[in-house]
Every structure is written in structure tokens, then in C-alpha cells.
Amino acid sequence: MEGVPPGERCDNCRREISRRAARIARWVAMGSTAVLALYVVLRVPEEPRARVVGAASVLIWYLLTSRMVRRIAQEWIK
Ligand SMILES: [Zn+2]
């Protein structure tokens, strides 16, 4: 592409990389979240408060891992 120095990515490549990174991040986050969710279901007591905390942890875990993996994958792909 014109106007892009060698070794630099053009917008199309950058978009493609971030799209792929997002897909990888989604899968990794879903996989690890499934394991955590299973653990919560099996190990967290039936008490409603503990269930809410467990569910919230699972949600936060998903958000954090997908964010982190996305960033790592983006560095790793290029
Ligand atoms: Zn390109």
C-alpha cells in the first residue's frame, strides 16, 4: 500500500490482525471461563450471596482474560 513505510502495517492489515486477535481472545476467554464456571457451580455453596459473588467473578474473569489475550495475541500475530 502506498504511503506505508516498509515494516509498517497498513490499515487493512491492522484491521485483520485485530479481528483475528479478537477471535482468538474470545475462544480462550470462553474456554477458561467455562472451566471457572464449572468450578463455581460445583464448589460454591448454594447460598444466594455466594452464588452472586461466584457469577460476578466469572463475568469479570471473562472480561479480563479476553482483554488480556487479545492484547497478547495482537502482539504475537504481527
Ligand atoms: Zn497491508
Side-chain angles (χ1 to χ4, degrees), residues 1 9-14:
M1 205 182 180
R9 299 292 192 160
C10 69
D11 283 349
N12 280 340
C13 294
R14 267 205 294 270

Side-chain angles (χ1 to χ4, degrees), residues 15-59:
R15 259 198 299 277
E16 173 65 16
I17 286 168
S18 79
R19 210 175 55 79
R20 281 166 61 195
R23 200 172 51 205
I24 292 168
R26 200 161 51 232
W27 281 108
V28 173
M30 277 197 305
S32 68
T33 302
V35 173
L36 180 63
L38 188 67
Y39 177 85
V40 167
V41 167
L42 295 176
R43 305 301 296 247
V44 169
E46 295 278 332
E47 188 214 333
R49 212 181 133 84
R51 292 268 146 183
V52 170
V53 170
S57 316
V58 169
L59 185 66

